[in-house]
Protein backbone atom coordinates (compact mmCIF):
# COMPACT_ATOMS: atom_id res chain seq x y z
CA UNK A 1 0.00 0.00 0.00
CA UNK A 2 1.04 3.60 -0.43
CA UNK A 3 2.89 5.78 2.00
CA UNK A 4 1.78 9.02 3.60
CA UNK A 5 3.33 12.13 2.06
CA UNK A 6 5.99 13.74 4.28
CA UNK A 7 5.00 16.82 6.32
CA UNK A 8 5.27 20.03 4.32
CA UNK A 9 5.56 23.60 5.55
CA UNK A 10 2.94 26.20 4.69
CA UNK A 11 3.70 28.80 2.04
CA UNK A 12 4.68 32.18 3.47
CA UNK A 13 1.75 34.25 2.23
CA UNK A 14 -0.28 37.11 3.72
CA UNK A 15 -2.46 34.97 6.06
CA UNK A 16 0.73 33.68 7.75
CA UNK A 17 1.40 37.20 9.05
CA UNK A 18 -1.82 37.19 11.11
CA UNK A 19 -0.98 33.91 12.81
CA UNK A 20 0.72 33.44 16.15
CA UNK A 21 3.13 30.54 16.62
CA UNK A 22 0.43 28.50 18.33
CA UNK A 23 -1.89 29.09 15.35
CA UNK A 24 0.73 27.67 12.99
CA UNK A 25 1.17 24.73 15.34
CA UNK A 26 -2.59 24.12 15.31
CA UNK A 27 -2.56 24.24 11.49
CA UNK A 28 0.20 21.64 11.32
CA UNK A 29 -1.41 19.44 13.97
CA UNK A 30 -4.76 19.43 12.21
CA UNK A 31 -3.17 18.66 8.86
CA UNK A 32 -1.21 15.74 10.32
CA UNK A 33 -4.17 14.34 12.27
CA UNK A 34 -6.38 14.26 9.18
CA UNK A 35 -3.56 12.87 7.03
CA UNK A 36 -3.28 10.09 9.60
CA UNK A 37 -7.05 9.53 9.45
CA UNK A 38 -7.00 9.04 5.67
CA UNK A 39 -4.02 6.71 5.92
CA UNK A 40 -5.77 4.61 8.57
CA UNK A 41 -8.98 4.51 6.52
CA UNK A 42 -7.00 3.18 3.55
CA UNK A 43 -5.40 0.51 5.75
CA UNK A 44 -8.81 -0.52 7.08
CA UNK A 45 -10.29 -0.72 3.59
CA UNK A 46 -7.38 -2.88 2.45
CA UNK A 47 -7.81 -5.20 5.43
CA UNK A 48 -11.59 -5.24 4.95
CA UNK A 49 -12.18 -4.91 1.18
CA UNK A 50 -15.81 -5.96 1.46
CA UNK A 51 -16.65 -2.72 3.29
CA UNK A 52 -16.10 -0.18 0.50
CA UNK A 53 -18.07 -2.40 -1.84
CA UNK A 54 -21.14 -2.10 0.42
CA UNK A 55 -21.52 1.58 -0.47
CA UNK A 56 -21.36 0.97 -4.20
CA UNK A 57 -18.03 2.74 -4.69
CA UNK A 58 -16.27 1.92 -7.95
CA UNK A 59 -12.92 1.37 -6.21
CA UNK A 60 -11.10 1.70 -2.91
CA UNK A 61 -9.77 5.09 -4.04
CA UNK A 62 -13.29 6.29 -4.87
CA UNK A 63 -14.45 5.20 -1.41
CA UNK A 64 -11.60 7.17 0.19
CA UNK A 65 -12.41 10.25 -1.89
CA UNK A 66 -16.01 10.00 -0.73
CA UNK A 67 -14.96 9.62 2.91
CA UNK A 68 -12.68 12.67 2.78
CA UNK A 69 -14.90 14.87 0.57
CA UNK A 70 -14.86 18.31 2.31
CA UNK A 71 -18.24 19.21 0.81
CA UNK A 72 -19.90 16.56 2.96
CA UNK A 73 -18.58 18.02 6.23
CA UNK A 74 -18.30 14.52 7.73
CA UNK A 75 -21.99 13.73 7.19
CA UNK A 76 -23.00 10.95 4.84
CA UNK A 77 -26.38 10.08 3.38
CA UNK A 78 -25.59 6.39 3.90
CA UNK A 79 -25.44 6.95 7.68
CA UNK A 80 -28.65 8.94 7.98
CA UNK A 81 -28.57 11.14 11.07
CA UNK A 82 -25.49 9.41 12.49
CA UNK A 83 -22.37 11.58 12.63
CA UNK A 84 -19.36 12.10 14.88
CA UNK A 85 -19.28 9.89 17.97
CA UNK A 86 -22.72 8.50 17.11
CA UNK A 87 -21.40 7.22 13.76
CA UNK A 88 -18.36 5.65 15.46
CA UNK A 89 -20.69 3.73 17.75
CA UNK A 90 -22.87 2.71 14.81
CA UNK A 91 -19.85 1.17 13.05
CA UNK A 92 -19.39 -1.32 15.88
CA UNK A 93 -23.00 -2.37 16.30
CA UNK A 94 -24.05 -5.93 15.49
CA UNK A 95 -27.10 -4.84 13.48
CA UNK A 96 -25.29 -2.34 11.23
CA UNK A 97 -25.21 -3.58 7.63
CA UNK A 98 -23.47 -0.65 5.93
CA UNK A 99 -19.85 0.31 5.28
CA UNK A 100 -18.26 0.04 8.73
CA UNK A 101 -15.06 1.82 7.66
CA UNK A 102 -17.05 4.81 6.41
CA UNK A 103 -19.04 4.95 9.65
CA UNK A 104 -15.99 4.51 11.89
CA UNK A 105 -13.56 6.83 10.14
CA UNK A 106 -16.18 9.32 8.95
CA UNK A 107 -17.45 9.50 12.53
CA UNK A 108 -13.91 9.93 13.81
CA UNK A 109 -13.35 12.70 11.28
CA UNK A 110 -16.51 14.45 12.45
CA UNK A 111 -15.45 14.23 16.08
CA UNK A 112 -11.97 15.55 15.30
CA UNK A 113 -13.45 18.34 13.17
CA UNK A 114 -15.59 19.33 16.15
CA UNK A 115 -12.57 19.35 18.46
CA UNK A 116 -10.96 21.91 16.12
CA UNK A 117 -14.15 24.03 16.33
CA UNK A 118 -15.02 22.95 12.77
CA UNK A 119 -12.22 25.15 11.38
CA UNK A 120 -9.55 24.20 8.88
CA UNK A 121 -7.16 27.12 9.55
CA UNK A 122 -6.40 29.15 12.66
CA UNK A 123 -5.59 32.81 13.24
CA UNK A 124 -4.93 35.08 16.21
CA UNK A 125 -8.58 35.61 17.12
CA UNK A 126 -9.45 31.90 16.95
CA UNK A 127 -9.67 30.15 20.31
CA UNK A 128 -9.37 26.39 20.39
CA UNK A 129 -10.58 24.57 23.49
CA UNK A 130 -7.77 22.36 24.85
CA UNK A 131 -10.31 20.26 26.75
CA UNK A 132 -12.00 19.24 23.49
CA UNK A 133 -8.67 18.18 22.03
CA UNK A 134 -7.80 16.24 25.19
CA UNK A 135 -11.20 14.54 25.18
CA UNK A 136 -10.75 13.64 21.52
CA UNK A 137 -7.41 11.98 22.28
CA UNK A 138 -9.07 9.87 25.00
CA UNK A 139 -11.88 8.98 22.61
CA UNK A 140 -9.36 7.73 20.05
CA UNK A 141 -7.86 5.50 22.76
CA UNK A 142 -11.32 4.07 23.48
CA UNK A 143 -11.95 3.61 19.76
CA UNK A 144 -8.71 1.66 19.31
CA UNK A 145 -9.69 -0.77 22.07
CA UNK A 146 -13.19 -1.23 20.69
CA UNK A 147 -11.90 -1.73 17.15
CA UNK A 148 -9.67 -4.55 18.40
CA UNK A 149 -12.37 -6.21 20.50
CA UNK A 150 -15.87 -5.58 19.06
CA UNK A 151 -17.20 -8.80 17.54
CA UNK A 152 -20.19 -10.45 15.99
CA UNK A 153 -22.09 -12.96 18.08
CA UNK A 154 -20.13 -15.75 16.37
CA UNK A 155 -16.80 -14.27 17.45
CA UNK A 156 -15.74 -12.59 14.20
CA UNK A 157 -14.32 -9.10 14.54
CA UNK A 158 -16.46 -6.36 13.00
CA UNK A 159 -13.32 -4.97 11.34
CA UNK A 160 -9.88 -6.53 10.98
CA UNK A 161 -7.02 -4.27 12.07
CA UNK A 162 -3.97 -5.42 14.08
CA UNK A 163 -2.84 -9.00 13.58
CA UNK A 164 -1.96 -11.10 16.65
CA UNK A 165 1.28 -13.02 16.69
CA UNK A 166 1.13 -16.39 14.96
CA UNK A 167 3.19 -19.52 15.22
CA UNK A 168 5.67 -18.28 12.62
CA UNK A 169 5.05 -14.51 12.53
CA UNK A 170 5.26 -11.64 15.03
CA UNK A 171 2.27 -9.45 15.86
CA UNK A 172 1.46 -6.65 13.41
CA UNK A 173 0.51 -3.61 15.48
CA UNK A 174 0.70 -1.04 12.68
CA UNK A 175 -2.83 0.25 13.29
CA UNK A 176 -2.10 0.83 16.96
CA UNK A 177 1.06 2.74 16.11
CA UNK A 178 -0.72 4.99 13.61
CA UNK A 179 -3.57 5.73 16.00
CA UNK A 180 -0.91 6.45 18.64
CA UNK A 181 0.57 9.18 16.44
CA UNK A 182 -2.85 10.81 16.23
CA UNK A 183 -3.29 10.64 20.00
CA UNK A 184 0.15 12.16 20.55
CA UNK A 185 -0.57 15.09 18.21
CA UNK A 186 -3.86 15.89 19.95
CA UNK A 187 -2.37 15.59 23.44
CA UNK A 188 0.59 17.83 22.62
CA UNK A 189 -1.61 20.58 21.15
CA UNK A 190 -4.01 20.33 24.11
CA UNK A 191 -1.15 20.74 26.61
CA UNK A 192 0.37 23.69 24.72
CA UNK A 193 -2.98 25.48 24.49
CA UNK A 194 -3.79 24.81 28.15
CA UNK A 195 -0.43 26.27 29.17
CA UNK A 196 -0.92 29.30 26.91
CA UNK A 197 -4.39 29.94 28.37
CA UNK A 198 -3.35 29.10 31.93
CA UNK A 199 -6.07 26.44 32.03
CA UNK A 200 -6.14 23.09 33.79
CA UNK A 201 -7.27 20.10 31.81
CA UNK A 202 -9.91 17.95 33.46
CA UNK A 203 -8.41 14.48 33.24
CA UNK A 204 -10.83 11.57 33.35
CA UNK A 205 -9.61 8.19 34.57
CA UNK A 206 -11.69 5.28 33.33
CA UNK A 207 -11.09 1.70 32.27
CA UNK A 208 -10.73 1.61 28.49
CA UNK A 209 -12.77 -1.60 28.39
CA UNK A 210 -15.83 0.07 29.91
CA UNK A 211 -15.13 3.69 29.05
CA UNK A 212 -17.70 5.97 27.44
CA UNK A 213 -16.81 8.51 24.79
CA UNK A 214 -16.17 11.97 26.24
CA UNK A 215 -18.07 15.03 24.97
CA UNK A 216 -16.44 17.12 22.26
CA UNK A 217 -19.33 19.26 20.98
CA UNK A 218 -20.74 20.62 17.73
CA UNK A 219 -21.02 17.56 15.45
CA UNK A 220 -22.90 14.82 17.33
Amino acid sequence: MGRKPPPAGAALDLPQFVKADVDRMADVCRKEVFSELRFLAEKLYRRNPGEWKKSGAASLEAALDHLMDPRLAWRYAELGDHAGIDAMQLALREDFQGDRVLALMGGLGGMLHASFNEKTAFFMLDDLDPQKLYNSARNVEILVWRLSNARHADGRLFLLSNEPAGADAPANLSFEREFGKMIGQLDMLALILADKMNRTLVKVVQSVATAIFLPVGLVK
Side-chain angles (χ1 to χ4, degrees):
M1 62 178 295
R3 296 177 179 271
K4 288 188 301 179
L12 190 61
D13 51 15
L14 182 59
Q16 294 296 315
F17 291 102
V18 290
K19 289 177 180 282
D21 288 343
V22 71
D23 300 319
R24 296 188 184 92
M25 185 171 296
D27 283 344
V28 171
C29 178
R30 189 190 185 285
K31 180 179 178 181
E32 288 300 299
V33 163
F34 282 90
S35 174
E36 201 70 53
L37 184 146
R38 191 187 192 283
F39 183 61
L40 280 160
E42 181 180 354
K43 284 173 67 67
L44 282 170
Y45 272 136
R46 291 188 183 278
R47 285 280 279 144
N48 305 271
E51 296 303 315
W52 62 262
K53 296 174 183 177
K54 291 179 182 178
S55 61
S59 64
L60 185 153
E61 291 73 19
L64 283 171
D65 288 343
H66 176 58
L67 170 68
M68 303 299 296
D69 189 341
R71 297 169 297 180
L72 300 178
W74 306 102
R75 294 182 180 276
Y76 308 93
E78 304 95 310
L79 304 180
D81 294 331
H82 299 282
I85 289 172
D86 192 32
M88 290 158 56
Q89 294 172 324
L90 177 69
L92 301 176
R93 269 178 30 187
E94 174 82 25
D95 60 345
F96 180 56
Q97 300 299 314
D99 180 345
R100 293 184 186 273
V101 176
L102 175 67
L104 189 80
M105 302 309 286
L108 177 58
M111 183 200 72
L112 293 169
H113 191 46
S115 73
F116 283 96
N117 285 348
E118 300 193 343
K119 294 179 181 293
T120 58
F122 306 96
F123 301 93
M124 289 183 184
L125 297 181
D126 293 326
D127 286 327
L128 286 174
D129 185 344
Q131 189 67 53
K132 288 182 181 179
L133 295 163
Y134 174 85
N135 286 2
S136 282
R138 304 290 72 75
N139 287 347
V140 176
E141 290 176 340
I142 296 167
L143 181 63
V144 172
W145 189 90
R146 292 190 182 179
L147 177 62
S148 299
N149 291 275
R151 299 173 183 270
H152 292 279
D154 61 7
R156 291 177 298 115
L157 288 165
F158 289 134
L159 287 170
L160 297 175
S161 55
N162 292 317
E163 293 184 71
D168 56 355
N172 179 353
L173 302 179
S174 60
F175 283 88
E176 193 166 313
R177 287 195 296 270
E178 296 300 330
F179 275 115
K181 294 176 187 177
M182 184 183 292
I183 292 166
Q185 292 273 3
L186 293 167
D187 272 337
M188 180 59 69
L189 184 58
L191 289 170
I192 290 171
L193 288 170
D195 182 69
K196 173 180 176 285
M197 300 172 165
N198 196 26
R199 285 184 53 179
T200 301
L201 293 171
V202 178
K203 298 185 177 181
V204 179
V205 178
Q206 51 183 346
S207 168
V208 71
T210 57
I212 61 171
F213 288 116
L214 302 175
V216 172
L218 297 178
V219 173
K220 297 181 180 179

